[in-house]
Amino acid sequence: MSSEAEDRTGFGDVQDLGPVDYIVVEFPGNRMTGEGFPLLVDLVDRGIIRIFDFAFVRKEVDGTVTAVELQDFGGGEVDLTVFEGASSGLLDHDDIQEAAAALEAGSSAGIIVYENTWAAPFARALRRGGAQLVAAGRIPVQALLASLDALEDLPPDE
């Protein structure tokens, strides 16, 4: 990759990246305690993840979607200014609209695009060896709990 492309993206050499994920976290009724944010900061500080984009949206009762500035979110109860400037350009208007479509009316959401930096050395080694990721996914906690409950309901082996 040319140094010009590296400078333009701000990601460094793309071959050195770990897996990049996104999450959309809904705050029903626009209520946010901020309890998870110190943990997010800790993950960044320890180099476990690197945040590329961090945005907030609000979905009004009439379905209108608006971007919310970090300093305006949380009603003054939560200081989110540590995340100001986390905007790589990966998260665009269409992505925000798609995320908002998953929200209930009258709710807000945080949208985070992040690199799993902990996995970068493993990902680099796999790429050097010619491997490529062909599938990935997440198992929601609710699905995991349902599977574990189903296992408990199985009759004991005789």
Side-chain angles (χ1 to χ4, degrees):
M1 177 176 225
S2 74
S3 62
E4 179 183 322
E6 291 174 23
D7 292 342
R8 186 175 66 243
T9 64
F11 303 125
D13 187 343
V14 174
Q15 293 299 314
D16 290 335
L17 286 176
V20 176
D21 288 324
Y22 74 92
I23 60 173
V24 178
V25 180
E26 181 179 50
F27 300 100
N30 298 312
R31 290 181 309 274
M32 180 180 63
T33 66
E35 185 175 344
F37 290 108
L39 298 169
L40 183 62
V41 171
D42 181 58
L43 291 172
V44 172
D45 288 348
R46 291 190 294 142
I48 296 171
I49 65 170
R50 175 170 55 152
I51 295 178
F52 290 140
D53 289 286
F54 196 109
F56 280 100
V57 295
R58 179 174 289 129
K59 187 172 187 178
E60 305 299 339
V61 176
D62 68 1
T64 305
V65 176
T66 55
V68 180
E69 295 295 324
L70 291 179
Q71 65 268 19
D72 296 336
F73 197 80
E77 301 151 14
V78 181
D79 181 13
L80 300 175
T81 56
V82 67
F83 298 112
E84 282 184 332
S87 179
S88 69
L90 288 175
L91 188 62
D92 65 16
H93 177 74
D94 291 340
D95 297 323
I96 291 170
Q97 293 300 314
E98 186 176 334
L103 300 179
E104 292 292 324
S107 295
S108 300
I111 306 166
I112 306 171
V113 178
Y114 62 97
E115 175 191 9
N116 292 284
T117 52
W118 62 269
F122 176 62
R124 278 193 302 273
L126 291 174
R127 284 190 288 267
R128 281 194 306 270
Q132 59 186 9
L133 181 64
V134 295
R138 288 244 156 54
I139 300 171
V141 172
Q142 296 85 347
L144 179 63
L145 292 173
S147 292
L148 292 173
D149 287 343
L151 287 174
E152 288 178 4
D153 293 339
L154 291 176
D157 289 340
E158 296 180 27

